[in-house]
Amino acid sequence: MQPFPPPERSARTLVAQGCIIVVILASLAGIFIHSAAIGLTAGAALAVFLVLCWRQFTIATWLTVGLCALLLAAAMVCGIDIETLSRGLERMAFLAALLALLGALRVVASEAPEVVRAGRYLTTRPPGRRYLAMNFGGHVFGVLINLGGIALLLDMTRRSLEETSAHLPPDLREWRLRRITTAVLRGFALAPLWSPIGLGLNALLLAMPELEYADIGPAGLLAAALFLAWGWFLDWAGAPRIPLTSRAAPRPDAADRGGVALLVMHVALLAGLVFGLHAATGLQFQQALLIAVPGYSLAWAARIGRGGPGRAGAVMRRATAGTIRRFPLAAAEIGVFASAGLLSVLALELLPIDRVQALVAALIGAPWQMVVLLNLSMFALATAGVNPIITASVLGGLVTQLDVPGLSDAAAALCLAGTWSCVMGFTPLMTTVVYAGALVGRPAAVVGFRWNGLYCLSGLALWTIGMALLVQSGLM
């Protein structure tokens, strides 16, 4: 579950780790103290971190961080006020802090026996249920431990297929690998539609401050179920005929079923903790999430180590140290996701909103046309390499300012979340597709375009048509 080796211990690494700790502490302090100095401090610490860790950058990171720096310079020249700048830096720090803290769940999960048991159970499902099992597994593992979940499931699946498919012809072995890979990818990609502990939906909630999770979460969960059903149908329709004598599957251990139940319980408990804090304290949803994630991670670590005296404390310390050590390795993702927070503020500050609103009014005669424009713009930009979190944050913030007649913030956010789900497993420029391709030994273009292209494109078409009809009829 660790695709990269631990970073070398050096002064550069220690300072970088310290910078992210400052960002996290500043984000937590910002929950209780309202001061422009907090945003500026977090922004400075994050800038130092990115400078120190530039060797981890991907092309996407360079593009987004570079664009962020250019817009920041332009905003400074235009005389951006300190409060607006601090608000953008606070959003930037929040997304960086959340991504860093979510790494704690992944570190703890690497020691949790229920994770291995759940993966083993899902990968040994009978052929008729394997797509649904792996789709569900990709979703739950992705919600809880992000890319680490893809790594665990696909690695276990690949080894299982090697052991059980040697008697099959090459084309059927390739189809089985394709089926499992796309099932996991599609399940993982459903998280932005509803997950209260993921970065996708929280980035949209940050960019659209008047929006609450309750406005889109339930509808997003229903949409996720519809996407799952569509993927299952395509898998069934495209499945080749396999002789009964070739349908042998490894016999699952019934005891491993409990691992799946425990993982679902972890997701439910963490989400419940976030909602509980939000309701009981009046904290904003994102603030409650930032507090709940590290607290739950430590509680999970303590549970793993409860077997002997002192073990709980040892596992908690190991999990904390492992999380901090991994901060520099996440620099590429932190750079992209943090930039989205600042860009959503800077774009609104620099764009002539009145002129954009007049242009939209002249071009858009009905709300369904805006739905089509939002979805196609996001999909096209993501296919070209612009991370969806950037597009979603900027477009989400822009929609709130344009106030398009007939298009609510909730409908716009749901449009963007669904399109995000469609494109996440499509373009070989997406981290998820590259990662999955590397794990199964296939080029990212094969995994994204050839294996998953029909699902992504047809899903986008159905999603756009469905949302356009709902918005135009006034149901959203």
Side-chain angles (χ1 to χ4, degrees), residues 204 208 374-375 399 407-417 467:
L204 282 168
M208 308 172 85
L374 285 174
N375 288 6
V399 165
L407 182 67
S408 66
D409 285 358
L414 200 57
C415 284
L416 294 171
M467 286 301 300

Side-chain angles (χ1 to χ4, degrees), residues 1 106 137-138 141-142 145-154 184:
M1 290 182 58
R106 179 175 177 179
F141 277 57
I145 49 180
N146 211 300
L147 287 175
I150 290 184
L152 178 68
L153 281 178
L154 288 183
V184 173

Side-chain angles (χ1 to χ4, degrees), residues 165-418:
S165 300
H167 62 291
L168 294 176
D171 58 330
L172 284 182
R173 289 201 300 269
E174 184 74 2
W175 176 79
R176 280 190 170 182
L177 181 63
R178 168 181 177 170
R179 179 188 215 183
I180 297 301
T181 304
T182 54
V184 173
L185 263 181
R186 293 169 189 177
F188 180 82
L190 297 178
L193 277 163
W194 76 275
S195 173
I197 59 177
L199 284 162
L201 206 53
N202 279 286
L204 282 168
L205 293 176
L206 275 178
M208 308 172 85
E210 300 299 319
L211 203 59
E212 297 285 343
Y213 176 83
D215 297 329
I216 53 174
L221 188 58
L222 175 60
L226 294 175
F227 273 112
L228 184 152
W230 179 243
W232 188 21
F233 169 76
L234 290 180
D235 176 76
W236 170 80
R241 290 186 174 274
I242 301 177
L244 291 176
T245 55
S246 300
R247 295 185 182 184
R251 187 179 296 274
D253 186 344
D256 287 338
R257 183 183 303 173
V260 178
L262 281 175
L263 282 194
V264 174
M265 182 194 71
H266 283 308
V267 173
L269 287 177
L270 180 53
L273 180 59
V274 175
F275 287 123
L277 281 173
H278 175 53
T281 64
L283 292 174
Q284 296 178 14
F285 187 82
Q286 293 79 19
Q287 294 172 339
L289 178 62
L290 203 62
I291 294 173
V293 167
Y296 191 86
S297 300
L298 290 175
W300 190 5
R303 181 184 177 279
I304 293 171
R306 67 184 176 180
R311 282 194 60 196
V315 176
M316 291 169 69
R317 288 191 295 273
R318 192 160 61 244
T320 302
T323 301
I324 293 173
R325 280 198 301 269
R326 294 191 60 82
F327 287 163
L329 297 178
E333 290 77 19
I334 287 176
V336 172
F337 282 77
S339 296
L342 184 56
L343 284 172
S344 65
V345 174
L346 294 179
L348 297 182
E349 186 70 15
L350 293 173
L351 282 173
I353 297 298
D354 292 341
R355 294 181 183 177
V356 174
Q357 194 166 29
L359 179 63
V360 169
L363 296 177
I364 303 297
W368 70 265
Q369 295 173 329
M370 192 65 183
V371 169
V372 174
L373 180 62
L374 285 174
N375 288 6
L376 295 185
S377 297
M378 185 172 186
F379 195 91
L381 288 170
T383 302
V386 180
N387 194 288
I389 194 172
I390 301 293
T391 318
S393 297
V394 174
L395 290 180
L398 187 59
V399 165
T400 62
Q401 297 294 316
L402 294 180
D403 194 22
V404 179
L407 182 67
S408 66
D409 285 358
L414 200 57
C415 284
L416 294 171

Side-chain angles (χ1 to χ4, degrees), residues 26 30 33-44 81-90:
I33 303 170
H34 300 287
S35 171
I38 291 178
L40 297 175
T41 300
D81 63 90
I82 196 69
E83 291 297 328
T84 302
L85 176 60
S86 177
R87 186 173 75 253
L89 292 174
E90 286 175 3

